[in-house]
Amino acid sequence: MIHLDLIGIGTGNPDHLTRAAEAAMRAADLILLPRKGDKVELIDLRRDLCAQVLAGAATRVAEFDLPVRAGEGDYLDNVERWHDAIAGCWAAEIARGLPQGGRVALLVWGDPSLYDSTIRIARRLIAVEGVTVVPGITSLQLLCAAHAIPFNAVGAPVMVTTGRRLREGGWPEGADSVAVMLDGGCAFATLDQPDAAIWWGAYLGMAQEAIEAGRLADVAERIVARRAELRRAHGWIMDVYLLRRGGDFVGERDPSGVARGLAPTPNPSPLPGGGA
């Protein structure tokens, strides 16, 4: 019998691992770590987490190459085929590493329930008899903490969406607060929302954390440029942002009509080599 643990690990900061996550890692017979092409830092972060948490434990660690999603053709069809391929890789590694059964774990960025397909992929594994999900700190929580802002305006909802949907459909109807994930194309720069504010963050919770905030019209170009520079420096980037329009940006507004807490971010965190 195979039991699968999907363990939320936050954004790679060991301090953000919950006690439940650490216990699940140490209880596993096997942990699978995916290698994603040339994104060496991503696999290194997982390796470091395992080295710290598994000291003295009997848990084994195995690595595998993650399939690449096709970029041409229908998006949803490509995702389905990609998920099938990933499930195939998992199944092969589990059969190789646990031929007599046991407990296998996967370390999931953020929380497995939020814009992550690990739970969906797990349903494709016929040999798995049970799945346990261990929640983790999400990038949205870390974004709000980094900027010291509430996630929502008072008594108001928040729409959580993707960069692709924001680019294709524009600002979601009926929403004044929009949290955007998985945006590799800076969809916020395409919006015509002169009164909107943005709180943006990359590598949240990590040593290279970078944040920006301000009126969207004032800081959009700077965020686009900074994001590109960070990606060149590190070879990868994970970022998220919150957009908000209307009067209640951070809970109050100056009599002058200028929302508090929206000054452009001072002293951006430095890049390796002294860049800004």
Side-chain angles (χ1 to χ4, degrees):
M1 174 180 172
I2 296 292
H3 189 95
L4 176 63
D5 290 317
L6 305 179
I7 305 172
I9 60 171
T11 57
N13 185 334
D15 292 339
H16 292 166
L17 279 181
T18 65
R19 291 181 181 177
E22 292 182 353
M25 290 174 65
R26 294 177 64 86
D29 299 302
L30 176 69
I31 293 178
L32 299 180
L33 303 184
R35 292 186 294 260
K36 297 184 178 182
D38 59 353
K39 298 179 180 178
V40 179
E41 279 193 21
L42 293 179
I43 185 68
D44 282 345
L45 285 169
R46 283 186 167 103
R47 289 168 179 156
D48 289 345
L49 287 178
C50 288
Q52 293 182 47
V53 174
L54 300 179
T59 306
R60 290 176 289 119
V61 177
E63 299 180 7
F64 67 97
D65 292 318
L66 193 72
V68 178
R69 190 185 72 205
E72 301 295 329
D74 182 79
Y75 172 77
L76 293 179
D77 286 345
N78 289 341
V79 169
E80 282 297 311
R81 287 193 291 270
W82 183 44
H83 288 176
D84 285 341
I86 293 173
C89 287
W90 290 1
E93 292 298 329
I94 292 170
R96 184 180 299 113
L98 295 174
Q100 304 303 317
R103 201 171 193 103
V104 62
L106 288 154
L107 308 183
V108 183
W109 294 116
D111 183 276
S113 70
L114 183 62
Y115 277 98
D116 186 276
S117 293
T118 308
I119 295 174
R120 297 185 187 90
I121 297 170
R123 292 173 181 159
R124 291 166 160 82
L125 298 178
I126 299 175
V128 171
E129 305 257 345
V131 176
T132 298
V133 176
V134 180
I137 294 176
T138 71
S139 60
L140 294 177
Q141 291 171 282
L142 292 170
L143 177 72
C144 293
H147 287 284
I149 58 170
F151 184 53
N152 60 293
V154 177
V158 179
M159 167 72 77
V160 181
T161 189
T162 66
R164 181 177 65 88
R165 295 295 296 269
L166 187 67
R167 180 178 293 275
E168 292 176 355
W171 193 288
E173 185 177 353
D176 287 329
S177 296
V178 183
V180 184
M181 308 181 73
L182 305 175
D183 185 7
C186 297
F188 57 83
T190 67
L191 299 173
D192 182 17
Q193 295 286 336
D195 294 328
I198 183 170
W199 293 267
W200 172 86
Y203 312 107
L204 291 163
M206 303 170 68
Q208 62 268 46
E209 178 179 290
I211 60 174
E212 296 277 358
R215 296 283 183 183
L216 182 59
D218 296 334
V219 301
E221 290 185 6
R222 186 170 77 228
I223 294 174
V224 171
R226 192 172 184 203
R227 187 184 190 280
E229 188 177 4
L230 287 164
R231 187 181 180 90
R232 284 193 299 271
H234 297 287
W236 64 281
I237 191 167
M238 287 186 182
D239 62 335
V240 65
Y241 55 91
L242 177 66
L243 298 166
R244 188 166 291 155
R245 64 185 181 186
D248 185 9
F249 290 122
V250 291
E252 55 185 322
R253 178 186 279 277
D254 283 339
S256 64
V258 178
R260 297 180 181 175
L262 290 176
T265 308
N267 300 321
S269 54
L271 291 173

